[in-house]
Amino acid sequence: MMQLLFRFLVGGVVVSLFATLGEVLKPKSFAGLFGAAPSIALATLGLTVVTEGRMYAAAEARSMIAGAAAFFLYCCLCIHLLTKHRWTAGAATTSSLIVWFAGAFALWFAFLR
Amino acid sequence: MRVHTDFSALRKNKWSDYVPRFLFGGLVTVAAGLVAKHFGPGVGGLFLAFPAIFPASATLLEKREEKKKRDHGMNGSLRGKQAVALDARGTAIGAIALLCFALMVWKLMPHFSAGLTLLLATVLWIFTAVVLWRLEERM
C-alpha cells in the first residue's frame, strides 16, 4: 500500500512539473512537446529498477516503443478532429484514447509480443 | 519563431487547474505499475507512453483561449480549437521523441546504471524533440 501511495505521489509530482513547464513555454507548438514528455516513464522506471531490476525495466521500455507510436497516432487523430470536424478539445482528446489503446496493443501484439 | 518563457499563464491558473494533472499523473503511474504486476512488463510498458495529461491540458488551454476572445467581445470557439490543434502538433513531435527515449532505455538499461540511462534518454528526448520541432517550423 505504501509503495502504491509513493508511486502515486511521484507520478503526480513529475507529471505536474512537466505540464507546468509546458505551460510557461512559448510558442504553443513548442510547449506542446511537453505533452509527450517522458514524465510517467521517469516516475515509473526508477521505482521499477529498485523493486524489479534493470532487465524488467528494459522489458517495459521495449513495450513503451509501441505506446509512443500509438501516442503519435492519437495526436494525429486529435488534430484531425479539431481542425476538420471542429470537435471540442474534451471530446477529441478523450474519444481518441480508443485509438491509443487499439494502436498500442496492436503494435505490441504484431511486433513486440 | 523564437522560444521564450511567459510566466503570466501561471498567474491565471487556479489551484483547481493543477489538481486533475496531479491526479491523472499519479493514477496512471499507479495503473502502469499494477498492470505490469498482473500482466507482465510487456503490457505494463505500453502505459509508460499513455497520454495521461494531454486531455486535461488541452481542455484547460481551450477554455483559456476562448475566454481571451470572449473578453474582447468575440466568440472564441474556433480560436480555442486552433490553439489545441497547434499544441497537439507539438505533442505529436514529442511522441516521436518519446519513442527514441524508449528505444534508448531498452538498449542501455541492461548495461548501465538506471540513473545514467534515464539521464541520457531524457537528453535524447529533449534533443530529438527540439530538432524535429525546428525542422517542422521551417517546413
Side-chain angles (χ1 to χ4, degrees):
Chain A
M1 192 62 199
M2 282 307 287
Q3 199 194 352
L4 286 180
L5 186 66
F6 187 65
R7 258 181 198 274
F8 179 83
L9 291 174
V10 172
V13 167
V14 175
V15 166
S16 298
L17 282 176
F18 273 103
T20 307
L21 189 60
E23 214 169 339
V24 298
L25 288 166
K26 296 280 180 285
K28 280 189 185 67
S29 61
F30 186 81
L33 295 175
F34 289 85
S39 42
I40 294 170
L42 287 172
T44 301
L45 288 170
L47 298 171
T48 302
V49 169
V50 174
T51 54
E52 308 286 346
R54 283 187 293 169
M55 292 310 289
Y56 192 96
E60 282 195 334
R62 184 172 174 267
S63 287
M64 189 187 162
I65 296 169
F71 199 160
F72 177 75
L73 296 176
Y74 164 84
C75 290
C76 293
L77 181 62
C78 285
I79 295 166
H80 180 78
L81 293 174
L82 286 159
T83 55
K84 303 284 181 206
H85 300 281
R86 305 279 163 86
W87 283 27
T88 63
T93 57
T94 309
S95 59
S96 299
L97 286 174
I98 297 165
V99 166
W100 183 85
F101 277 102
F105 280 93
L107 288 168
W108 175 75
F109 195 81
F111 301 109
L112 302 172
R113 191 167 61 106
Chain B
M1 196 180 278
R2 211 172 137 257
V3 176
H4 62 281
T5 53
D6 176 11
F7 289 91
S8 66
L10 296 183
R11 283 194 288 274
K12 289 173 199 157
N13 279 355
K14 289 175 256 168
W15 276 107
S16 57
D17 294 333
Y18 293 98
V19 175
R21 295 168 187 179
F22 184 83
L23 288 178
F24 277 122
L27 287 174
V28 174
T29 308
V30 168
L34 289 175
V35 170
K37 200 167 191 173
H38 288 280
F39 299 100
V43 177
L46 295 172
F47 289 86
L48 301 187
F50 184 75
I53 52 157
F54 187 69
S57 298
T59 308
L60 185 66
L61 176 64
E62 185 182 43
K63 273 186 198 163
R64 190 177 295 152
E65 291 298 321
E66 281 180 1
K67 189 179 178 301
K68 262 190 213 169
K69 283 282 175 187
R70 271 203 311 272
D71 288 348
H72 290 89
M74 290 176 268
N75 178 1
S77 173
L78 182 61
R79 169 74 179 174
K81 289 173 181 56
Q82 285 172 337
V84 176
L86 202 59
D87 191 61
R89 258 172 68 182
T91 307
I93 294 169
I96 299 170
L98 194 63
L99 196 150
C100 298
F101 171 95
L103 200 65
M104 193 165 207
V105 174
W106 172 40
K107 289 294 176 189
L108 295 190
M109 191 62 95
H111 309 290
F112 299 97
S113 72
L116 181 64
T117 302
L118 293 176
L119 177 70
L120 290 175
T122 305
V123 170
L124 178 69
W125 177 81
I126 295 168
F127 178 79
T128 313
V130 171
V131 168
L132 289 177
W133 180 79
R134 286 249 178 248
L135 287 173
E136 207 258 351
E137 282 288 295
R138 283 181 193 172
M139 275 162 46

